[in-house]
């Protein structure tokens, strides 16, 4: 007999939240940007998928700002202070080492540079379905930020 819950979770983790094709990024990681809402410059240190599209983490002075793509203008200049590039890419299938009882395969939905280390956003918990089956409840807590140690490249 097929375990429908496990099948649904597998499909959930493997289905990109943005649809079939990854939408383009407004700016690159580590690119110098102008934030129109604060009229300040900063560097893009992270990007993560949200319900409104790509959400960018911008370091501006001592502040970290989270903005949407329409709130920033890229300059094309990259900050080259970090030696290592991210190990995984947005949209890449990875195996989550600490997956519990569910399927280990996940999609990288975000990349952030925190204290000179790369972190990857993956969905670690599937949504809840109402008892009637007519509503799906997701939580912002379903996204985990993990290191490359927690992930392995999927070999197809």
């Amino acid at each position: 007999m097929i375990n429908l819950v496990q099948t649904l979770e597998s499909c959930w983790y493997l289905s990109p939240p943005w649809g079939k094709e990854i939408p383009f990024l407004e700016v690159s990681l580590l690119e110098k940007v102008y934030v129109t809402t604060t009229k300040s410059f900063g560097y893009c240190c992270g990007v993560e998928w949200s319900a409104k599209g790509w959400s960018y983490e911008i370091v501006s002075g001592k502040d970290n700002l989270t903005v949407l793509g329409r709130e920033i203008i890229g300059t094309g200049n990259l900050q080259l202070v970090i030696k290592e590039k991210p190990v995984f890419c947005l949209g890449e299938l990875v195996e989550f080492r600490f997956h519990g009882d569910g399927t280990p395969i996940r999609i990288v939905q975000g990349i952030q540079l925190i204290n000179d280390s790369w972190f990857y956003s993956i969905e670690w918990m599937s949504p809840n379905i109402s008892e009637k089956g007519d509503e799906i409840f997701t939580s912002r807590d379903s996204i985990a930020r993990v290191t490359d140690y927690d992930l392995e490249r999927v070999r197809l």
Side-chain angles (χ1 to χ4, degrees), residues 9 12-13 106 122-128 139 141-143:
E9 285 181 338
W12 179 265
Y13 293 133
R106 303 290 195 274
I122 61 161
E123 201 148 18
W124 71 275
M125 182 174 70
S126 61
N128 292 322
S139 167
D141 295 336
S142 67
I143 300 293

Side-chain angles (χ1 to χ4, degrees), residues 54-137:
W54 291 117
S55 175
Y56 300 85
E57 188 77 17
I58 308 298
V59 175
S60 179
K62 294 185 184 236
D63 296 327
N64 275 21
L65 309 168
T66 302
V67 298
L68 296 174
R70 63 180 174 266
E71 300 173 87
I72 54 177
I73 299 170
T75 65
N77 297 325
L78 296 179
Q79 181 184 32
L80 301 175
V81 295
I82 185 119
K83 295 176 184 165
E84 295 181 21
K85 293 182 180 180
V87 174
F88 301 103
C89 302
L90 291 172
E92 186 172 355
L93 290 179
V94 293
E95 186 171 330
F96 184 35
R97 291 183 196 215
F98 306 105
H99 57 84
D101 294 333
T103 178
I105 307 298
R106 303 290 195 274
I107 291 178
V108 176
Q109 296 183 24
I111 302 174
Q112 295 85 23
L113 181 64
I114 303 171
N115 293 334
D116 296 329
S117 297
W118 292 108
F119 286 81
Y120 305 90
S121 300
I122 61 161
E123 201 148 18
W124 71 275
M125 182 174 70
S126 61
N128 292 322
I129 300 174
S130 68
E131 294 210 13
K132 293 181 185 176
D134 58 348
E135 288 186 74
I136 295 176
F137 304 101

Side-chain angles (χ1 to χ4, degrees), residues 4-24:
L4 295 178
V5 172
Q6 188 173 11
T7 303
L8 176 62
E9 285 181 338
S10 298
C11 292
W12 179 265
Y13 293 133
L14 295 175
S15 300
W18 46 75
K20 290 186 178 191
E21 293 185 27
I22 300 175
F24 71 94

